[in-house]
Amino acid sequence: ATSVPNFSYMGARLCNYLSHNLTISPQSGNFRQLLLKRCRAEFENRDEAAKGDEATRKQFHAFVLFLGELYLNLEIKGTKGQVTRAEILQEGLRELLNALFSNPVDSNLICAVKLLKLTGSVLEDAWKEKGKDDMTEVIQRIENVVLDANCSRDVKHMLLKLVELRSSNWGRVLGTSSHTEATPENDPNYFMNEPTFYTSDGIPFTAADPDYQEEYQELLEREDWFPDYEENGTDLSGAGDLYVYF
């Protein structure tokens, strides 16, 4: 799951399945105990990893996002038979966020944004149940990073959109009917996952902007996306092959 990031969700689901269904239990512990022990080993190197070179940080980010998926998907049965989440993972994610924000290079901050978009609503609910205000502290940390860190403009924009996402209750719509669907009118975060484009002056715009269609069309007309090909797909670079676009 950490070697192939796109496998993190499926890996977490598989870990949950094995924790409940794997019957072999070696002397060193059952599957869940071994899994958490392995995660702990990676977790303890968090500060060094967040300060490491690009390859080290990339591997660390994959671990962070896998731990986020594991927190969401690993089901623990409580003493009364109720299903809960692993509290140790909740505490671990808080410390991982601290490590990322303490080393505010672009890649670390992007990882923090991804982690919070994935787990933010669940983490905040869990902290509130304990009477903790940890998410407010996290958001304050983000605002400080935006003001003080030397991260890129695009990353600062991502961080501000995350603050906006949290202010809209993580995009959750509280409707009077169970069939209420999110729309641009009732959900201020409706366009959160839409791509951001930039005008020739460097001004960002998304589908939420009134002039989106016009700006987007101008962008398409200005950019020559396939300079070496004619409309019929003929390669003009010299090879002479025909390309078919699907």
Side-chain angles (χ1 to χ4, degrees), residues 161-173:
K161 293 297 286 183
L162 182 70
V163 173
E164 191 177 313
L165 176 62
R166 191 259 181 162
S167 68
S168 68
N169 193 26
W170 302 101
R172 293 178 288 192
V173 179

Side-chain angles (χ1 to χ4, degrees), residues 56-74:
T56 301
R57 291 200 309 272
K58 185 176 181 180
Q59 184 175 358
F60 174 59
H61 298 156
F63 167 70
V64 169
L65 296 177
F66 170 64
L67 211 67
E69 291 285 10
L70 199 59
Y71 174 62
L72 296 179
N73 291 284
L74 187 62

Side-chain angles (χ1 to χ4, degrees), residues 9 22 30 43 49 51 54 60 63 65 77 83 85 101 118 123 131 135 155 188 211 226 245:
Y9 168 76
L22 189 64
N30 61 33
F43 172 81
K51 297 175 184 176
E54 184 177 351
F60 174 59
F63 167 70
L65 296 177
K77 289 187 178 180
V83 176
R85 291 188 171 90
F101 287 130
L118 177 68
L123 282 174
M135 188 56 70
V155 171
D211 300 327
F226 302 101
Y245 297 102

Side-chain angles (χ1 to χ4, degrees), residues 47 79 81 106 112 149 162 165 180 185:
D47 292 323
T79 54
D106 279 9
L162 182 70
L165 176 62
T180 300
E185 289 72 30

Side-chain angles (χ1 to χ4, degrees), residues 35-107:
L35 171 67
L36 294 178
K37 182 179 179 181
R38 179 71 175 85
C39 289
R40 182 76 187 180
E42 294 283 345
F43 172 81
E44 289 177 348
N45 294 323
R46 61 192 181 280
D47 292 323
E48 292 78 11
K51 297 175 184 176
D53 58 24
E54 184 177 351
T56 301
R57 291 200 309 272
K58 185 176 181 180
Q59 184 175 358
F60 174 59
H61 298 156
F63 167 70
V64 169
L65 296 177
F66 170 64
L67 211 67
E69 291 285 10
L70 199 59
Y71 174 62
L72 296 179
N73 291 284
L74 187 62
E75 299 174 342
I76 308 294
K77 289 187 178 180
T79 54
K80 298 181 181 179
Q82 76 278 22
V83 176
T84 63
R85 291 188 171 90
E87 189 168 320
I88 189 172
L89 294 179
Q90 177 191 127
E91 297 169 358
L93 291 176
R94 181 70 169 92
E95 292 304 314
L96 289 174
L97 284 169
N98 284 337
L100 292 167
F101 287 130
S102 295
N103 300 277
V105 297
D106 279 9
S107 61

